[in-house]
Amino acid sequence: MTRRRFRKIAIANRGEVAVRIIHACHELGIRAVLLHSEADTGTRAYRMADEAVCVGPAPTAESYLRIEANVNAALSAGADAVHPGFGFLSENADFAQACADAGLTFIGPKPATIRALGDKIAAKKLIQDARVPVVPGYMGADQSVASLVAEAERIGFPVIVKAAAGGGGRGMKVLRDEKEAVELIASAQREAQSAFGSPVVFLEKYLDRAKHIEFQVFGDSTGRCTHLFDRECSVQRRHQKIVEEALSPSLDEGLRGRMANAAVSLAQAAGYVGAGTVEFLLQDGRFYFLEMNTRLQVEHPVTEMVLGVDLVKAQILTASQEFALWDRAELRPRGHAIECRLYAEDSYNRGLPSTGTLGGLVWPEGPGRRFEVGFASGDRVTPYYDPMIAKAIVWDESRPRAIKKMLKVLEETVVFGVKCNIPYLRAILSHPEFVDGVMTTQFIATHFPEGIEDPGLTDAERRFAELAWKTAEAGAAPVASDPASLPWASHWRAV
Amino acid sequence: MKSLMIEIDGKSVRGLVERIGGALWVHMNGRTFSFEPPKPAGRKGKGGPAAHGDMAAPMPGKINKVAVREGENVTVGQLIVVMEAMKMEYTLKAPVAGRVVSVRCAAGEQVSLGQALVKIEPDRNGESMKVDV
C-alpha cells in the first residue's frame, strides 16, 4: 500500500470530540473541515475549524446521521479523508462504504469489519466462534415485541434490551418482569430508531453486580493488532458512563492478561484497523464479552494519559498508512487517570437536562489536568444533542491522588448559565465504594437513584449572594464609598 | 463573570459572580449556585404543585408518544407521555388516578420546559404518587 498523506480531513461530528480531532489535524499540519448542523455554529469546533460545511438542520436524523449529505459535504470541501468521531455515523458500515466509494478515506476500520463487529449481534457470533465467553441472550431476527418478551422470559429476568446498531447507552433498558417488558421494549426500539436509524434490538441476561471493564485495542496498516490496557467504566447511569478511569483498580495481572488476550484475538480475527474498544462485564472473577466499539471512545483520554500516547493522531496516521504500532515495551502504564463527564443537567433534580446560554466558564488548569471542551461562554446548549459540555481528565501518580486531584478540579471548575452535574460527580468521587474501587454497574442505581439532595444555601452563601446582588443592582458602583449603609468592602475585577 | 471580595463578619470571602437574566450565578468555596432574590410581595408565582393532575414538560424536548386520549380514565403510574430530550427517552406517568380532561400535545411536537401537556381530573378518593420521569 502506498502512503497518502492527507491535506484536509472532514470531521463528521460536533462538540468536544470535534475539537479533539481538529487539534490532532492541526498538529499534523492537516486542514480540518467541520461538517455541522445548523444548530452548531455557536460552538468551539465551528470556530476552530479551517472550513465548515452545513449538512442540515438541527435534528440528528436530518444532519449528523445523513450519509449522503456528509459524503457530499466532504467532497465539496475537497477533503481526502473523513473522521467520524464517536456516536452518529462512526459505527455505520454504510457510511464507511459510501466514503470509500466516493474516494474518501474513512478513518476507522474497513466497512466489512464494522459490519462484523459493530453490529452487536454479528459480533457476538464472531466472538463465540473465538471462544470468548458471552452472556446468555437472544439476538434473533424476529423483532416483534411479543417474541422479544417471550425470549426475555426464557432467558429469565432481569434482562437487558439493547440497540443492535448502537452504543453509549441509547436504546438500553432493563426489563425486570413481563409486565413492564412490553412498554420498555417498544421504547428501546424507538430510541434505537431515533439514535441509530435502526430499530433492531437484542436481549441478554442482566448481570446485577458486574463491573464494566474495557480494553483499548489498535490495529495498524500492516495488519498487526495490540492492546493499550484497560479502562474501568462501572459508574454508569442508565448505561451511560459518567466517570471512567485507567487502569481498572479491579484486575490483577493474571486476569488482566487473559482479558487482554481475548480482546486482541478478537481484533486480530476481525482484521481490525485503527482504534477500537472491546468491552467486558466482570462478575465474580469471570468476564463476559459485552460489545466491541469500532471507533474512538469518549473516554480515550484516560488511556492516553497513563500511556503517553495520542490515539487520534495514531488513527489518522494509520489511515494514511504512515503508522506502525507502538513498540510493545514502550507501552508501560504509569500512574492513574480519571475522566469525569460534565453534563448540562440538574444534580438536584434527578439529572434533568438543562439547556440555555452558557455564562462564564472556568477550567482550572494545572499539572496533570486536561479539559476537552466543546463550548465557550456565550454558546448555547441545545436540546438536540447529548448534554455533555466538557470532559475533565486528571492524571496523578496513584489512584488516591488522582481522586483527590479530580475533587479539587471539580471544586474549582465554574459553569454559569446552565446547571451542571458537578455536585453529583463530587458525591460519586467521595463515595467510599468508589474510593475503594469496588463499585459495580449498579453503583448509581444503588446509591444515587434519585440523584442527590439539594443541600440548600449556607448562611454565608446566602449573605454573599444577597450582598453581591445589591452590588450588581447598584451597577457596580464604588459601594465602599458609603460605608454607613454598606458595612463591607468590595472590589470588582474582570476575569 | 466578575471576581468579588466581600467582608462577612469580619472575614473576607472571595467569589465569582455573574448576573444572567433574573438570577445571580455565584461560585464560592468550591460550589456553584444561582441565586434569585425574593420577589417583591404581592406578586404571585406560577403556583405550586396544587393542581396534581396537571402534567407539564419537565424539560424541553420532543414528544415521542401520547398514550392517552381525552375522556380516558387512567390509573396512578399509567404511562401518559413519552418524550425525548438530548437523545434519551423519558416516560411521564400519571401522578393521580382520574379522567383525562385535556391533551395539549401530539407526537412529534417540540415542547418547552413547563409547557402543559396533559390535564387529569383526579378521582375524588384517588391515590397519588410522585411522578417518575
Side-chain angles (χ1 to χ4, degrees):
Chain A
M1 288 247 208
T2 53
R3 292 181 172 191
R4 39 188 173 184
R5 181 156 293 169
F6 303 135
R7 284 169 299 110
K8 199 186 273 188
I9 289 176
I11 298 161
N13 217 301
R14 62 182 301 282
E16 107 295 338
V17 69
V19 171
R20 171 75 184 88
I21 299 163
I22 293 169
H23 279 307
C25 288
H26 287 173
E27 288 162 23
L28 290 168
I30 299 167
R31 287 172 67 80
V33 187
L34 186 73
L35 312 183
H36 64 92
S37 81
E38 284 168 7
D40 275 338
T41 53
T43 63
R44 280 189 77 213
Y46 182 84
R47 293 185 292 269
M48 283 171 62
D50 301 294
E51 293 169 46
V53 184
C54 182
V55 292
T60 53
E62 296 167 43
S63 49
Y64 293 109
L65 290 174
R66 280 177 65 206
I67 291 175
E68 207 189 331
N70 281 275
V71 170
N72 289 342
L75 287 174
S76 75
D80 310 297
V82 175
H83 197 306
F86 39 69
F88 299 132
L89 294 171
S90 62
E91 295 183 274
N92 187 312
D94 293 339
F95 181 56
Q97 188 62 55
C99 288
D101 293 346
L104 296 161
T105 302
F106 177 80
I107 300 177
K110 297 182 199 84
T113 311
I114 300 175
R115 235 178 273 284
L117 287 170
D119 183 317
K120 274 90 198 173
I121 293 172
K124 281 209 152 182
K125 288 175 178 150
L126 191 87
I127 199 145
Q128 241 157 354
D129 295 343
R131 293 175 173 276
V132 176
V134 296
V135 184
Y138 170 76
M139 44 185 127
D142 187 346
Q143 290 285 311
S144 72
V145 173
S147 304
L148 288 166
V149 172
E151 287 295 337
E153 279 175 5
R154 181 187 59 79
I155 296 162
F157 293 104
V159 164
I160 186 166
V161 53
K162 299 184 186 180
R170 285 79 181 270
M172 289 193 193
K173 312 270 172 193
V174 176
L175 318 175
R176 304 230 172 247
D177 56 49
E178 185 200 338
K179 220 178 98 205
E180 61 177 31
V182 176
E183 182 51 46
L184 289 175
I185 288 172
S187 168
Q189 288 174 330
R190 282 193 301 272
E191 270 192 32
Q193 176 68 48
S194 160
F196 309 107
S198 160
V200 178
V201 295
F202 68 94
L203 306 172
E204 63 188 23
K205 175 113 188 118
Y206 187 53
L207 298 171
D208 57 358
R209 53 182 186 282
K211 281 177 159 283
H212 176 115
I213 314 262
E214 59 186 33
F215 279 74
Q216 178 72 52
V217 295
F218 204 98
D220 71 9
S221 45
T222 69
R224 291 183 306 156
C225 292
T226 194
H227 73 89
L228 291 96
F229 295 90
D230 48 284
R231 297 182 283 260
E232 174 154 353
C233 320
S234 296
V235 180
Q236 304 181 357
R237 183 189 50 188
R238 292 177 304 211
H239 309 287
Q240 191 116 34
K241 297 162 188 168
I242 307 173
V243 178
E244 301 104 332
E245 54 189 313
L247 304 187
S248 164
S250 315
L251 303 182
D252 58 34
E253 208 144 308
L255 187 54
R256 174 168 284 128
R258 289 200 301 283
M259 292 174 79
N261 284 343
V264 172
S265 56
L266 174 66
Q268 199 84 56
Y272 202 84
V273 177
T277 293
V278 182
E279 297 187 335
F280 296 104
L281 288 175
L282 175 71
Q283 184 168 309
D284 306 327
R286 298 184 60 161
F287 65 93
Y288 306 91
F289 173 71
L290 183 62
E291 60 185 44
M292 177 154 186
N293 294 320
T294 56
R295 51 161 167 89
L296 191 70
Q297 297 280 96
V298 177
E299 57 273 23
H300 74 278
V302 291
T303 296
E304 295 184 326
M305 301 291 272
V306 291
L307 288 174
V309 297
D310 186 322
L311 288 168
V312 181
K313 277 193 269 193
Q315 282 186 301
I316 294 169
L317 294 172
T318 297
S320 60
Q321 320 277 338
E322 294 173 271
F323 179 71
L325 287 180
W326 301 271
D327 184 347
R328 193 64 240 174
E330 284 175 18
L331 293 177
R332 284 223 196 97
R334 194 164 174 276
H336 196 84
I338 301 175
E339 171 180 284
C340 283
R341 301 189 188 189
L342 303 180
Y343 287 115
E345 60 180 40
D346 190 348
S347 295
Y348 303 130
N349 193 5
R350 288 172 294 160
L352 276 186
S354 174
T355 58
T357 303
L358 288 163
L361 302 170
V362 175
W363 309 113
E365 301 285 349
R369 302 169 175 207
R370 168 174 166 183
F371 300 92
E372 306 252 311
V373 185
F375 297 98
S377 182
D379 291 344
R380 278 183 58 78
V381 179
T382 63
Y384 302 108
Y385 313 110
D386 186 278
M388 190 159 65
I389 304 169
K391 302 185 297 208
I393 303 110
V394 300
W395 179 91
D396 212 320
E397 293 179 35
S398 68
R399 187 171 187 269
R401 283 194 192 181
I403 292 173
K404 279 197 187 128
K405 183 176 283 184
M406 181 59 90
L407 283 167
K408 265 292 160 228
V409 164
L410 293 172
E411 278 178 31
E412 294 164 13
T413 296
V414 181
V415 176
F416 281 169
V418 301
K419 301 228 165 79
C420 184
N421 65 335
I422 287 173
Y424 192 56
L425 290 165
R426 287 176 63 182
I428 290 168
L429 265 78
S430 308
H431 195 280
E433 219 173 87
F434 182 85
V435 172
D436 292 345
V438 296
M439 63 287 175
T440 71
T441 54
Q442 303 304 302
F443 175 78
I444 294 289
T446 306
H447 300 295
F448 303 99
E450 293 277 309
I452 56 173
E453 207 158 305
D454 188 349
L457 296 187
T458 64
D459 187 48
E461 285 170 342
R462 179 167 302 281
R463 288 177 67 191
F464 184 94
E466 280 168 358
L467 291 171
W469 177 268
K470 282 184 193 155
T471 310
E473 288 277 83
V479 286
S481 66
D482 187 3
S485 65
L486 296 161
W488 38 280
S490 123
H491 71 266
W492 291 89
R493 179 168 66 87
V495 173
Chain B
M1 190 188 287
K2 309 244 181 182
S3 175
L4 186 64
M5 186 119 76
I6 295 179
E7 212 164 285
I8 297 176
D9 296 338
K11 275 172 73 181
S12 282
V13 181
R14 184 187 290 279
L16 293 166
V17 299
E18 182 176 355
R19 189 174 166 176
I20 301 174
L24 186 74
W25 289 71
V26 179
H27 181 88
M28 63 177 281
N29 294 336
R31 236 164 68 89
T32 295
F33 57 90
S34 65
F35 170 81
E36 283 180 50
K39 293 210 165 61
R43 272 179 58 193
K44 259 187 128 178
K46 277 185 201 156
H52 283 302
D54 290 347
M55 298 182 67
M59 70 220 147
K62 194 180 107 189
I63 302 293
N64 274 357
K65 181 180 173 180
V66 180
V68 292
R69 267 181 284 186
E70 277 180 26
E72 197 174 313
N73 284 311
V74 295
T75 56
V76 173
Q78 184 176 334
L79 177 74
I80 305 295
V81 169
V82 179
M83 63 181 291
E84 179 186 302
M86 310 233 190
K87 309 309 294 171
M88 297 291 286
E89 267 201 11
Y90 297 84
T91 55
L92 310 186
K93 292 174 179 170
V96 293
R99 197 172 64 86
V100 177
V101 289
S102 79
V103 174
R104 286 174 235 169
C105 60
E109 193 183 323
Q110 286 283 344
V111 294
S112 52
L113 172 70
Q115 187 174 329
L117 303 177
V118 171
K119 188 177 169 68
I120 300 167
E121 195 176 80
D123 285 344
R124 201 64 61 78
N125 298 315
E127 30 165 8
S128 68
M129 65 177 269
K130 204 167 159 200
V131 184
D132 186 22
V133 177

